[in-house]
Each structure stands twice: as C-alpha cells, then as structure tokens.
PDB file of all heavy atoms in Angstrom:
ATOM      1  N   GLU A 136       6.281   9.114   4.768  1.00  0.00           N
ATOM      2  CA  GLU A 136       6.976   9.090   3.478  1.00  0.00           C
ATOM      3  C   GLU A 136       6.185   8.288   2.450  1.00  0.00           C
ATOM      4  O   GLU A 136       6.121   8.654   1.277  1.00  0.00           O
ATOM      5  CB  GLU A 136       8.374   8.488   3.635  1.00  0.00           C
ATOM      6  CG  GLU A 136       9.333   9.334   4.428  1.00  0.00           C
ATOM      7  CD  GLU A 136      10.651   8.644   4.676  1.00  0.00           C
ATOM      8  OE1 GLU A 136      10.682   7.402   4.809  1.00  0.00           O
ATOM      9  OE2 GLU A 136      11.666   9.358   4.717  1.00  0.00           O
ATOM     10  N   PHE A 137       5.569   7.186   2.895  1.00  0.00           N
ATOM     11  CA  PHE A 137       4.719   6.388   1.999  1.00  0.00           C
ATOM     12  C   PHE A 137       3.532   7.208   1.524  1.00  0.00           C
ATOM     13  O   PHE A 137       3.198   7.210   0.334  1.00  0.00           O
ATOM     14  CB  PHE A 137       4.239   5.118   2.718  1.00  0.00           C
ATOM     15  CG  PHE A 137       3.139   4.400   2.003  1.00  0.00           C
ATOM     16  CD1 PHE A 137       3.409   3.623   0.899  1.00  0.00           C
ATOM     17  CD2 PHE A 137       1.826   4.524   2.427  1.00  0.00           C
ATOM     18  CE1 PHE A 137       2.393   2.963   0.225  1.00  0.00           C
ATOM     19  CE2 PHE A 137       0.807   3.867   1.764  1.00  0.00           C
ATOM     20  CZ  PHE A 137       1.095   3.088   0.661  1.00  0.00           C
ATOM     21  N   ILE A 138       2.905   7.931   2.450  1.00  0.00           N
ATOM     22  CA  ILE A 138       1.740   8.734   2.089  1.00  0.00           C
ATOM     23  C   ILE A 138       2.130   9.833   1.106  1.00  0.00           C
ATOM     24  O   ILE A 138       1.422  10.086   0.125  1.00  0.00           O
ATOM     25  CB  ILE A 138       1.073   9.315   3.352  1.00  0.00           C
ATOM     26  CG1 ILE A 138       0.411   8.193   4.160  1.00  0.00           C
ATOM     27  CG2 ILE A 138       0.048  10.383   3.007  1.00  0.00           C
ATOM     28  CD1 ILE A 138      -0.119   8.617   5.506  1.00  0.00           C
ATOM     29  N   SER A 139       3.256  10.486   1.330  1.00  0.00           N
ATOM     30  CA  SER A 139       3.662  11.552   0.409  1.00  0.00           C
ATOM     31  C   SER A 139       4.073  10.990  -0.952  1.00  0.00           C
ATOM     32  O   SER A 139       3.846  11.635  -1.980  1.00  0.00           O
ATOM     33  CB  SER A 139       4.792  12.378   1.014  1.00  0.00           C
ATOM     34  OG  SER A 139       5.946  11.587   1.175  1.00  0.00           O
ATOM     35  N   ALA A 140       4.653   9.787  -0.989  1.00  0.00           N
ATOM     36  CA  ALA A 140       5.070   9.209  -2.264  1.00  0.00           C
ATOM     37  C   ALA A 140       3.878   8.735  -3.097  1.00  0.00           C
ATOM     38  O   ALA A 140       3.893   8.816  -4.316  1.00  0.00           O
ATOM     39  CB  ALA A 140       6.024   8.046  -2.020  1.00  0.00           C
ATOM     40  N   TYR A 141       2.836   8.252  -2.435  1.00  0.00           N
ATOM     41  CA  TYR A 141       1.678   7.693  -3.141  1.00  0.00           C
ATOM     42  C   TYR A 141       0.413   8.514  -2.907  1.00  0.00           C
ATOM     43  O   TYR A 141      -0.692   7.973  -2.922  1.00  0.00           O
ATOM     44  CB  TYR A 141       1.448   6.243  -2.706  1.00  0.00           C
ATOM     45  CG  TYR A 141       2.523   5.327  -3.189  1.00  0.00           C
ATOM     46  CD1 TYR A 141       3.568   4.945  -2.354  1.00  0.00           C
ATOM     47  CD2 TYR A 141       2.529   4.862  -4.493  1.00  0.00           C
ATOM     48  CE1 TYR A 141       4.574   4.119  -2.802  1.00  0.00           C
ATOM     49  CE2 TYR A 141       3.524   4.030  -4.952  1.00  0.00           C
ATOM     50  CZ  TYR A 141       4.543   3.662  -4.101  1.00  0.00           C
ATOM     51  OH  TYR A 141       5.535   2.850  -4.555  1.00  0.00           O
ATOM     52  N   ALA A 142       0.555   9.811  -2.712  1.00  0.00           N
ATOM     53  CA  ALA A 142      -0.599  10.674  -2.407  1.00  0.00           C
ATOM     54  C   ALA A 142      -1.630  10.658  -3.532  1.00  0.00           C
ATOM     55  O   ALA A 142      -2.832  10.594  -3.271  1.00  0.00           O
ATOM     56  CB  ALA A 142      -0.137  12.096  -2.129  1.00  0.00           C
ATOM     57  N   ILE A 143      -1.183  10.696  -4.771  1.00  0.00           N
ATOM     58  CA  ILE A 143      -2.121  10.731  -5.899  1.00  0.00           C
ATOM     59  C   ILE A 143      -2.911   9.425  -5.985  1.00  0.00           C
ATOM     60  O   ILE A 143      -4.134   9.440  -6.188  1.00  0.00           O
ATOM     61  CB  ILE A 143      -1.354  10.997  -7.212  1.00  0.00           C
ATOM     62  CG1 ILE A 143      -0.700  12.374  -7.145  1.00  0.00           C
ATOM     63  CG2 ILE A 143      -2.270  10.886  -8.422  1.00  0.00           C
ATOM     64  CD1 ILE A 143       0.272  12.642  -8.248  1.00  0.00           C
ATOM     65  N   ASP A 144      -2.230   8.297  -5.804  1.00  0.00           N
ATOM     66  CA  ASP A 144      -2.922   7.008  -5.845  1.00  0.00           C
ATOM     67  C   ASP A 144      -3.879   6.852  -4.673  1.00  0.00           C
ATOM     68  O   ASP A 144      -4.957   6.272  -4.814  1.00  0.00           O
ATOM     69  CB  ASP A 144      -1.912   5.859  -5.831  1.00  0.00           C
ATOM     70  CG  ASP A 144      -1.040   5.843  -7.068  1.00  0.00           C
ATOM     71  OD1 ASP A 144      -1.487   6.362  -8.107  1.00  0.00           O
ATOM     72  OD2 ASP A 144       0.080   5.318  -6.991  1.00  0.00           O
ATOM     73  N   LEU A 145      -3.488   7.351  -3.502  1.00  0.00           N
ATOM     74  CA  LEU A 145      -4.335   7.217  -2.324  1.00  0.00           C
ATOM     75  C   LEU A 145      -5.572   8.097  -2.413  1.00  0.00           C
ATOM     76  O   LEU A 145      -6.642   7.724  -1.930  1.00  0.00           O
ATOM     77  CB  LEU A 145      -3.548   7.557  -1.055  1.00  0.00           C
ATOM     78  CG  LEU A 145      -2.447   6.572  -0.670  1.00  0.00           C
ATOM     79  CD1 LEU A 145      -1.646   7.105   0.497  1.00  0.00           C
ATOM     80  CD2 LEU A 145      -3.031   5.225  -0.349  1.00  0.00           C
ATOM     81  N   LYS A 146      -5.452   9.270  -3.034  1.00  0.00           N
ATOM     82  CA  LYS A 146      -6.610  10.153  -3.159  1.00  0.00           C
ATOM     83  C   LYS A 146      -7.663   9.569  -4.078  1.00  0.00           C
ATOM     84  O   LYS A 146      -8.851   9.814  -3.892  1.00  0.00           O
ATOM     85  CB  LYS A 146      -6.181  11.527  -3.686  1.00  0.00           C
ATOM     86  CG  LYS A 146      -5.432  12.354  -2.671  1.00  0.00           C
ATOM     87  CD  LYS A 146      -4.997  13.667  -3.261  1.00  0.00           C
ATOM     88  CE  LYS A 146      -4.162  14.462  -2.270  1.00  0.00           C
ATOM     89  NZ  LYS A 146      -3.671  15.717  -2.832  1.00  0.00           N
ATOM     90  N   SER A 147      -7.239   8.784  -5.058  1.00  0.00           N
ATOM     91  CA  SER A 147      -8.194   8.245  -6.024  1.00  0.00           C
ATOM     92  C   SER A 147      -8.825   6.930  -5.579  1.00  0.00           C
ATOM     93  O   SER A 147      -9.752   6.461  -6.209  1.00  0.00           O
ATOM     94  CB  SER A 147      -7.508   8.049  -7.380  1.00  0.00           C
ATOM     95  OG  SER A 147      -6.491   7.074  -7.259  1.00  0.00           O
ATOM     96  N   CYS A 148      -8.344   6.317  -4.493  1.00  0.00           N
ATOM     97  CA  CYS A 148      -8.917   5.038  -4.071  1.00  0.00           C
ATOM     98  C   CYS A 148      -9.618   5.176  -2.727  1.00  0.00           C
ATOM     99  O   CYS A 148      -9.373   6.110  -1.968  1.00  0.00           O
ATOM    100  CB  CYS A 148      -7.826   3.973  -3.988  1.00  0.00           C
ATOM    101  SG  CYS A 148      -6.697   4.159  -2.617  1.00  0.00           S
ATOM    102  N   ARG A 149     -10.507   4.256  -2.474  1.00  0.00           N
ATOM    103  CA  ARG A 149     -11.195   4.217  -1.180  1.00  0.00           C
ATOM    104  C   ARG A 149     -10.678   3.079  -0.301  1.00  0.00           C
ATOM    105  O   ARG A 149     -10.757   3.134   0.906  1.00  0.00           O
ATOM    106  CB  ARG A 149     -12.690   4.065  -1.380  1.00  0.00           C
ATOM    107  CG  ARG A 149     -13.304   5.228  -2.115  1.00  0.00           C
ATOM    108  CD  ARG A 149     -14.791   5.285  -1.837  1.00  0.00           C
ATOM    109  NE  ARG A 149     -15.407   6.372  -2.564  1.00  0.00           N
ATOM    110  CZ  ARG A 149     -15.466   7.603  -2.124  1.00  0.00           C
ATOM    111  NH1 ARG A 149     -14.920   7.918  -0.978  1.00  0.00           N
ATOM    112  NH2 ARG A 149     -16.063   8.534  -2.829  1.00  0.00           N
ATOM    113  N   VAL A 150     -10.153   2.033  -0.919  1.00  0.00           N
ATOM    114  CA  VAL A 150      -9.613   0.872  -0.220  1.00  0.00           C
ATOM    115  C   VAL A 150      -8.221   0.612  -0.777  1.00  0.00           C
ATOM    116  O   VAL A 150      -7.986   0.770  -1.971  1.00  0.00           O
ATOM    117  CB  VAL A 150     -10.516  -0.365  -0.440  1.00  0.00           C
ATOM    118  CG1 VAL A 150      -9.956  -1.575   0.272  1.00  0.00           C
ATOM    119  CG2 VAL A 150     -11.928  -0.095   0.034  1.00  0.00           C
ATOM    120  N   LEU A 151      -7.299   0.209   0.092  1.00  0.00           N
ATOM    121  CA  LEU A 151      -5.935  -0.080  -0.345  1.00  0.00           C
ATOM    122  C   LEU A 151      -5.913  -1.292  -1.268  1.00  0.00           C
ATOM    123  O   LEU A 151      -6.476  -2.335  -0.952  1.00  0.00           O
ATOM    124  CB  LEU A 151      -5.035  -0.351   0.852  1.00  0.00           C
ATOM    125  CG  LEU A 151      -4.681   0.832   1.736  1.00  0.00           C
ATOM    126  CD1 LEU A 151      -3.891   0.370   2.937  1.00  0.00           C
ATOM    127  CD2 LEU A 151      -3.897   1.853   0.957  1.00  0.00           C
ATOM    128  N   THR A 152      -5.265  -1.148  -2.406  1.00  0.00           N
ATOM    129  CA  THR A 152      -5.105  -2.269  -3.326  1.00  0.00           C
ATOM    130  C   THR A 152      -3.928  -3.127  -2.883  1.00  0.00           C
ATOM    131  O   THR A 152      -3.125  -2.716  -2.050  1.00  0.00           O
ATOM    132  CB  THR A 152      -4.871  -1.761  -4.759  1.00  0.00           C
ATOM    133  OG1 THR A 152      -3.662  -0.994  -4.767  1.00  0.00           O
ATOM    134  CG2 THR A 152      -6.026  -0.905  -5.239  1.00  0.00           C
ATOM    135  N   SER A 153      -3.817  -4.305  -3.462  1.00  0.00           N
ATOM    136  CA  SER A 153      -2.730  -5.201  -3.064  1.00  0.00           C
ATOM    137  C   SER A 153      -1.364  -4.630  -3.441  1.00  0.00           C
ATOM    138  O   SER A 153      -0.390  -4.853  -2.739  1.00  0.00           O
ATOM    139  CB  SER A 153      -2.927  -6.582  -3.690  1.00  0.00           C
ATOM    140  OG  SER A 153      -3.009  -6.477  -5.089  1.00  0.00           O
ATOM    141  N   GLU A 154      -1.287  -3.857  -4.542  1.00  0.00           N
ATOM    142  CA  GLU A 154      -0.013  -3.234  -4.911  1.00  0.00           C
ATOM    143  C   GLU A 154       0.394  -2.182  -3.878  1.00  0.00           C
ATOM    144  O   GLU A 154       1.549  -2.091  -3.490  1.00  0.00           O
ATOM    145  CB  GLU A 154      -0.105  -2.587  -6.301  1.00  0.00           C
ATOM    146  CG  GLU A 154      -0.267  -3.571  -7.434  1.00  0.00           C
ATOM    147  CD  GLU A 154      -1.722  -3.936  -7.686  1.00  0.00           C
ATOM    148  OE1 GLU A 154      -2.620  -3.209  -7.196  1.00  0.00           O
ATOM    149  OE2 GLU A 154      -1.959  -4.945  -8.344  1.00  0.00           O
ATOM    150  N   LEU A 155      -0.578  -1.382  -3.447  1.00  0.00           N
ATOM    151  CA  LEU A 155      -0.282  -0.365  -2.431  1.00  0.00           C
ATOM    152  C   LEU A 155       0.074  -0.999  -1.091  1.00  0.00           C
ATOM    153  O   LEU A 155       0.917  -0.490  -0.364  1.00  0.00           O
ATOM    154  CB  LEU A 155      -1.460   0.594  -2.272  1.00  0.00           C
ATOM    155  CG  LEU A 155      -1.658   1.600  -3.398  1.00  0.00           C
ATOM    156  CD1 LEU A 155      -2.947   2.378  -3.189  1.00  0.00           C
ATOM    157  CD2 LEU A 155      -0.487   2.543  -3.485  1.00  0.00           C
ATOM    158  N   ILE A 156      -0.566  -2.114  -0.771  1.00  0.00           N
ATOM    159  CA  ILE A 156      -0.251  -2.797   0.485  1.00  0.00           C
ATOM    160  C   ILE A 156       1.176  -3.333   0.447  1.00  0.00           C
ATOM    161  O   ILE A 156       1.921  -3.250   1.422  1.00  0.00           O
ATOM    162  CB  ILE A 156      -1.261  -3.925   0.761  1.00  0.00           C
ATOM    163  CG1 ILE A 156      -2.635  -3.331   1.049  1.00  0.00           C
ATOM    164  CG2 ILE A 156      -0.816  -4.794   1.922  1.00  0.00           C
ATOM    165  CD1 ILE A 156      -3.745  -4.343   1.104  1.00  0.00           C
ATOM    166  N   GLY A 157       1.581  -3.874  -0.700  1.00  0.00           N
ATOM    167  CA  GLY A 157       2.954  -4.359  -0.838  1.00  0.00           C
ATOM    168  C   GLY A 157       3.964  -3.249  -0.640  1.00  0.00           C
ATOM    169  O   GLY A 157       4.996  -3.429   0.015  1.00  0.00           O
ATOM    170  N   GLU A 158       3.691  -2.073  -1.194  1.00  0.00           N
ATOM    171  CA  GLU A 158       4.578  -0.926  -0.994  1.00  0.00           C
ATOM    172  C   GLU A 158       4.498  -0.415   0.445  1.00  0.00           C
ATOM    173  O   GLU A 158       5.492   0.022   1.014  1.00  0.00           O
ATOM    174  CB  GLU A 158       4.223   0.201  -1.967  1.00  0.00           C
ATOM    175  CG  GLU A 158       4.469  -0.136  -3.415  1.00  0.00           C
ATOM    176  CD  GLU A 158       5.934  -0.281  -3.752  1.00  0.00           C
ATOM    177  OE1 GLU A 158       6.761   0.409  -3.133  1.00  0.00           O
ATOM    178  OE2 GLU A 158       6.250  -1.103  -4.624  1.00  0.00           O
ATOM    179  N   PHE A 159       3.305  -0.463   1.040  1.00  0.00           N
ATOM    180  CA  PHE A 159       3.108   0.001   2.415  1.00  0.00           C
ATOM    181  C   PHE A 159       3.912  -0.845   3.404  1.00  0.00           C
ATOM    182  O   PHE A 159       4.469  -0.326   4.370  1.00  0.00           O
ATOM    183  CB  PHE A 159       1.612  -0.055   2.752  1.00  0.00           C
ATOM    184  CG  PHE A 159       1.296   0.188   4.191  1.00  0.00           C
ATOM    185  CD1 PHE A 159       1.420   1.457   4.732  1.00  0.00           C
ATOM    186  CD2 PHE A 159       0.881  -0.841   5.004  1.00  0.00           C
ATOM    187  CE1 PHE A 159       1.126   1.687   6.060  1.00  0.00           C
ATOM    188  CE2 PHE A 159       0.587  -0.617   6.324  1.00  0.00           C
ATOM    189  CZ  PHE A 159       0.708   0.648   6.856  1.00  0.00           C
ATOM    190  N   LEU A 160       4.016  -2.142   3.145  1.00  0.00           N
ATOM    191  CA  LEU A 160       4.713  -3.024   4.076  1.00  0.00           C
ATOM    192  C   LEU A 160       6.226  -2.858   4.037  1.00  0.00           C
ATOM    193  O   LEU A 160       6.932  -3.422   4.870  1.00  0.00           O
ATOM    194  CB  LEU A 160       4.319  -4.481   3.819  1.00  0.00           C
ATOM    195  CG  LEU A 160       2.885  -4.801   4.238  1.00  0.00           C
ATOM    196  CD1 LEU A 160       2.505  -6.199   3.814  1.00  0.00           C
ATOM    197  CD2 LEU A 160       2.704  -4.630   5.730  1.00  0.00           C
ATOM    198  N   GLU A 161       6.742  -2.055   3.088  1.00  0.00           N
ATOM    199  CA  GLU A 161       8.163  -1.728   3.103  1.00  0.00           C
ATOM    200  C   GLU A 161       8.497  -0.745   4.225  1.00  0.00           C
ATOM    201  O   GLU A 161       9.653  -0.487   4.492  1.00  0.00           O
ATOM    202  CB  GLU A 161       8.585  -1.127   1.767  1.00  0.00           C
ATOM    203  CG  GLU A 161       8.648  -2.126   0.647  1.00  0.00           C
ATOM    204  CD  GLU A 161       9.181  -1.514  -0.618  1.00  0.00           C
ATOM    205  OE1 GLU A 161       9.812  -0.442  -0.548  1.00  0.00           O
ATOM    206  OE2 GLU A 161       8.963  -2.107  -1.683  1.00  0.00           O
ATOM    207  N   CYS A 162       7.483  -0.202   4.876  1.00  0.00           N
ATOM    208  CA  CYS A 162       7.695   0.742   5.972  1.00  0.00           C
ATOM    209  C   CYS A 162       8.001   0.038   7.291  1.00  0.00           C
ATOM    210  O   CYS A 162       8.172   0.699   8.311  1.00  0.00           O
ATOM    211  CB  CYS A 162       6.462   1.623   6.160  1.00  0.00           C
ATOM    212  SG  CYS A 162       6.050   2.623   4.732  1.00  0.00           S
ATOM    213  N   PHE A 163       8.053  -1.279   7.296  1.00  0.00           N
ATOM    214  CA  PHE A 163       8.198  -2.019   8.548  1.00  0.00           C
ATOM    215  C   PHE A 163       9.327  -3.041   8.433  1.00  0.00           C
ATOM    216  O   PHE A 163       9.519  -3.654   7.392  1.00  0.00           O
ATOM    217  CB  PHE A 163       6.886  -2.732   8.901  1.00  0.00           C
ATOM    218  CG  PHE A 163       5.730  -1.794   9.016  1.00  0.00           C
ATOM    219  CD1 PHE A 163       4.863  -1.615   7.959  1.00  0.00           C
ATOM    220  CD2 PHE A 163       5.536  -1.056  10.164  1.00  0.00           C
ATOM    221  CE1 PHE A 163       3.809  -0.741   8.043  1.00  0.00           C
ATOM    222  CE2 PHE A 163       4.487  -0.173  10.260  1.00  0.00           C
ATOM    223  CZ  PHE A 163       3.615  -0.012   9.198  1.00  0.00           C
ATOM    224  N   ARG A 164      10.040  -3.219   9.533  1.00  0.00           N
ATOM    225  CA  ARG A 164      11.081  -4.234   9.615  1.00  0.00           C
ATOM    226  C   ARG A 164      10.480  -5.432  10.344  1.00  0.00           C
ATOM    227  O   ARG A 164      10.024  -5.320  11.477  1.00  0.00           O
ATOM    228  CB  ARG A 164      12.299  -3.697  10.363  1.00  0.00           C
ATOM    229  CG  ARG A 164      13.407  -4.723  10.463  1.00  0.00           C
ATOM    230  CD  ARG A 164      14.693  -4.134  10.972  1.00  0.00           C
ATOM    231  NE  ARG A 164      15.291  -3.363   9.874  1.00  0.00           N
ATOM    232  CZ  ARG A 164      15.734  -2.133  10.003  1.00  0.00           C
ATOM    233  NH1 ARG A 164      15.671  -1.518  11.141  1.00  0.00           N
ATOM    234  NH2 ARG A 164      16.263  -1.500   8.976  1.00  0.00           N
TER     235      ARG A 164
END
C-alpha cells in the first residue's frame, strides 16, 4: 500500500528520503 501510494515519488528517487522513511515506518507496529 505504501508503494502504491508513493509510486511517483519512488520512481523519481534512487535513495529513500527522510520524509519517505517517516511515511514508510507507518507500515509497522
């Protein structure tokens, strides 16, 4: 779900930014 929500941002970057990491960590309890 994270990948589908941020697909456009992920395609344009080569390394995860801190903003994307913050959103990515919402996938875990």
Side-chain angles (χ1 to χ4, degrees):
E136 292 174 328
F137 167 77
I138 290 173
S139 65
Y141 291 99
I143 297 169
D144 296 335
L145 291 173
K146 288 178 184 177
S147 64
C148 72
R149 297 201 182 274
V150 180
L151 289 175
T152 62
S153 57
E154 293 86 16
L155 286 174
I156 292 170
E158 294 292 328
F159 171 72
L160 289 173
E161 287 185 18
C162 299
F163 302 97
R164 180 170 285 131

